[in-house]
PDB file of all heavy atoms in Angstrom:
ATOM      1  N   ALA V  35     -51.338 -44.389  29.336  1.00  0.00           N
ATOM      2  CA  ALA V  35     -52.804 -44.118  29.085  1.00  0.00           C
ATOM      3  C   ALA V  35     -53.746 -45.003  29.940  1.00  0.00           C
ATOM      4  O   ALA V  35     -54.874 -44.584  30.158  1.00  0.00           O
ATOM      5  CB  ALA V  35     -53.099 -44.380  27.641  1.00  0.00           C
ATOM      6  N   ASN V  36     -53.241 -46.069  30.525  1.00  0.00           N
ATOM      7  CA  ASN V  36     -54.092 -46.930  31.326  1.00  0.00           C
ATOM      8  C   ASN V  36     -54.159 -46.603  32.776  1.00  0.00           C
ATOM      9  O   ASN V  36     -55.029 -47.015  33.510  1.00  0.00           O
ATOM     10  CB  ASN V  36     -53.589 -48.347  31.145  1.00  0.00           C
ATOM     11  CG  ASN V  36     -53.711 -48.957  29.831  1.00  0.00           C
ATOM     12  OD1 ASN V  36     -54.773 -48.743  29.176  1.00  0.00           O
ATOM     13  ND2 ASN V  36     -52.664 -49.623  29.336  1.00  0.00           N
ATOM     14  N   TYR V  37     -53.204 -45.792  33.224  1.00  0.00           N
ATOM     15  CA  TYR V  37     -53.201 -45.419  34.636  1.00  0.00           C
ATOM     16  C   TYR V  37     -52.779 -43.969  34.953  1.00  0.00           C
ATOM     17  O   TYR V  37     -52.109 -43.365  34.139  1.00  0.00           O
ATOM     18  CB  TYR V  37     -52.077 -46.255  35.414  1.00  0.00           C
ATOM     19  CG  TYR V  37     -52.356 -47.751  35.378  1.00  0.00           C
ATOM     20  CD1 TYR V  37     -51.819 -48.553  34.378  1.00  0.00           C
ATOM     21  CD2 TYR V  37     -53.238 -48.318  36.214  1.00  0.00           C
ATOM     22  CE1 TYR V  37     -52.055 -49.929  34.316  1.00  0.00           C
ATOM     23  CE2 TYR V  37     -53.585 -49.697  36.175  1.00  0.00           C
ATOM     24  CZ  TYR V  37     -52.980 -50.429  35.208  1.00  0.00           C
ATOM     25  OH  TYR V  37     -53.277 -51.822  35.163  1.00  0.00           O
ATOM     26  N   HIS V  38     -53.410 -43.401  35.893  1.00  0.00           N
ATOM     27  CA  HIS V  38     -53.185 -41.967  36.267  1.00  0.00           C
ATOM     28  C   HIS V  38     -52.103 -41.858  37.282  1.00  0.00           C
ATOM     29  O   HIS V  38     -52.115 -42.502  38.349  1.00  0.00           O
ATOM     30  CB  HIS V  38     -54.468 -41.390  36.853  1.00  0.00           C
ATOM     31  CG  HIS V  38     -55.549 -41.153  35.800  1.00  0.00           C
ATOM     32  ND1 HIS V  38     -56.261 -42.158  35.346  1.00  0.00           N
ATOM     33  CD2 HIS V  38     -55.917 -40.036  35.178  1.00  0.00           C
ATOM     34  CE1 HIS V  38     -57.097 -41.714  34.449  1.00  0.00           C
ATOM     35  NE2 HIS V  38     -56.950 -40.401  34.298  1.00  0.00           N
ATOM     36  N   ASP V  39     -50.962 -41.166  36.933  1.00  0.00           N
ATOM     37  CA  ASP V  39     -50.080 -40.772  37.957  1.00  0.00           C
ATOM     38  C   ASP V  39     -50.700 -39.753  38.937  1.00  0.00           C
ATOM     39  O   ASP V  39     -51.621 -38.996  38.428  1.00  0.00           O
ATOM     40  CB  ASP V  39     -48.772 -40.194  37.366  1.00  0.00           C
ATOM     41  CG  ASP V  39     -47.999 -41.202  36.537  1.00  0.00           C
ATOM     42  OD1 ASP V  39     -48.065 -42.370  36.819  1.00  0.00           O
ATOM     43  OD2 ASP V  39     -47.311 -40.833  35.581  1.00  0.00           O
ATOM     44  N   VAL V  40     -50.261 -39.671  40.074  1.00  0.00           N
ATOM     45  CA  VAL V  40     -50.849 -38.783  41.110  1.00  0.00           C
ATOM     46  C   VAL V  40     -49.994 -37.474  41.262  1.00  0.00           C
ATOM     47  O   VAL V  40     -48.740 -37.651  41.484  1.00  0.00           O
ATOM     48  CB  VAL V  40     -51.074 -39.447  42.401  1.00  0.00           C
ATOM     49  CG1 VAL V  40     -51.695 -38.545  43.476  1.00  0.00           C
ATOM     50  CG2 VAL V  40     -51.971 -40.705  42.264  1.00  0.00           C
ATOM     51  N   TYR V  41     -50.579 -36.392  41.192  1.00  0.00           N
ATOM     52  CA  TYR V  41     -49.994 -35.072  41.361  1.00  0.00           C
ATOM     53  C   TYR V  41     -50.636 -34.292  42.482  1.00  0.00           C
ATOM     54  O   TYR V  41     -51.858 -34.490  42.719  1.00  0.00           O
ATOM     55  CB  TYR V  41     -50.070 -34.252  40.066  1.00  0.00           C
ATOM     56  CG  TYR V  41     -49.274 -34.849  38.903  1.00  0.00           C
ATOM     57  CD1 TYR V  41     -49.812 -35.850  38.087  1.00  0.00           C
ATOM     58  CD2 TYR V  41     -48.084 -34.201  38.519  1.00  0.00           C
ATOM     59  CE1 TYR V  41     -49.103 -36.363  36.964  1.00  0.00           C
ATOM     60  CE2 TYR V  41     -47.368 -34.729  37.367  1.00  0.00           C
ATOM     61  CZ  TYR V  41     -47.908 -35.749  36.626  1.00  0.00           C
ATOM     62  OH  TYR V  41     -47.284 -36.242  35.603  1.00  0.00           O
ATOM     63  N   ILE V  42     -49.887 -33.420  43.048  1.00  0.00           N
ATOM     64  CA  ILE V  42     -50.463 -32.354  43.898  1.00  0.00           C
ATOM     65  C   ILE V  42     -50.488 -31.051  43.057  1.00  0.00           C
ATOM     66  O   ILE V  42     -49.350 -30.663  42.550  1.00  0.00           O
ATOM     67  CB  ILE V  42     -49.747 -32.126  45.215  1.00  0.00           C
ATOM     68  CG1 ILE V  42     -49.808 -33.448  46.048  1.00  0.00           C
ATOM     69  CG2 ILE V  42     -50.336 -30.957  45.990  1.00  0.00           C
ATOM     70  CD1 ILE V  42     -51.146 -33.889  46.473  1.00  0.00           C
ATOM     71  N   LEU V  43     -51.655 -30.488  42.847  1.00  0.00           N
ATOM     72  CA  LEU V  43     -51.793 -29.210  42.124  1.00  0.00           C
ATOM     73  C   LEU V  43     -51.890 -28.081  43.119  1.00  0.00           C
ATOM     74  O   LEU V  43     -52.776 -28.132  44.002  1.00  0.00           O
ATOM     75  CB  LEU V  43     -53.056 -29.289  41.268  1.00  0.00           C
ATOM     76  CG  LEU V  43     -53.482 -27.935  40.607  1.00  0.00           C
ATOM     77  CD1 LEU V  43     -52.410 -27.306  39.710  1.00  0.00           C
ATOM     78  CD2 LEU V  43     -54.803 -28.123  39.981  1.00  0.00           C
ATOM     79  N   ASP V  44     -51.027 -27.113  43.104  1.00  0.00           N
ATOM     80  CA  ASP V  44     -51.177 -25.882  43.835  1.00  0.00           C
ATOM     81  C   ASP V  44     -52.053 -24.890  42.991  1.00  0.00           C
ATOM     82  O   ASP V  44     -51.602 -24.399  41.985  1.00  0.00           O
ATOM     83  CB  ASP V  44     -49.826 -25.233  44.090  1.00  0.00           C
ATOM     84  CG  ASP V  44     -49.895 -24.034  45.025  1.00  0.00           C
ATOM     85  OD1 ASP V  44     -50.895 -23.232  44.907  1.00  0.00           O
ATOM     86  OD2 ASP V  44     -49.051 -23.875  45.873  1.00  0.00           O
ATOM     87  N   ILE V  45     -53.265 -24.821  43.451  1.00  0.00           N
ATOM     88  CA  ILE V  45     -54.252 -24.096  42.630  1.00  0.00           C
ATOM     89  C   ILE V  45     -53.895 -22.626  42.535  1.00  0.00           C
ATOM     90  O   ILE V  45     -54.119 -21.945  41.475  1.00  0.00           O
ATOM     91  CB  ILE V  45     -55.669 -24.189  43.287  1.00  0.00           C
ATOM     92  CG1 ILE V  45     -56.102 -25.697  43.213  1.00  0.00           C
ATOM     93  CG2 ILE V  45     -56.614 -23.332  42.502  1.00  0.00           C
ATOM     94  CD1 ILE V  45     -57.243 -26.052  44.045  1.00  0.00           C
ATOM     95  N   SER V  46     -53.204 -22.030  43.490  1.00  0.00           N
ATOM     96  CA  SER V  46     -52.877 -20.594  43.490  1.00  0.00           C
ATOM     97  C   SER V  46     -51.768 -20.304  42.449  1.00  0.00           C
ATOM     98  O   SER V  46     -51.659 -19.198  41.963  1.00  0.00           O
ATOM     99  CB  SER V  46     -52.506 -20.141  44.953  1.00  0.00           C
ATOM    100  OG  SER V  46     -51.401 -20.829  45.392  1.00  0.00           O
ATOM    101  N   THR V  47     -50.828 -21.318  42.253  1.00  0.00           N
ATOM    102  CA  THR V  47     -49.664 -21.014  41.378  1.00  0.00           C
ATOM    103  C   THR V  47     -49.843 -21.850  40.110  1.00  0.00           C
ATOM    104  O   THR V  47     -49.134 -21.554  39.073  1.00  0.00           O
ATOM    105  CB  THR V  47     -48.369 -21.431  42.018  1.00  0.00           C
ATOM    106  OG1 THR V  47     -48.323 -22.811  42.186  1.00  0.00           O
ATOM    107  CG2 THR V  47     -48.125 -20.620  43.258  1.00  0.00           C
ATOM    108  N   GLY V  48     -50.584 -22.886  40.030  1.00  0.00           N
ATOM    109  CA  GLY V  48     -50.691 -23.812  38.887  1.00  0.00           C
ATOM    110  C   GLY V  48     -49.620 -24.887  38.904  1.00  0.00           C
ATOM    111  O   GLY V  48     -49.510 -25.645  37.953  1.00  0.00           O
TER     112      GLY V  48
END
Side-chain angles (χ1 to χ4, degrees):
N36 295 315
Y37 297 97
H38 288 77
D39 293 335
V40 180
Y41 293 79
I42 298 297
L43 168 64
D44 184 321
I45 298 165
S46 60
T47 66

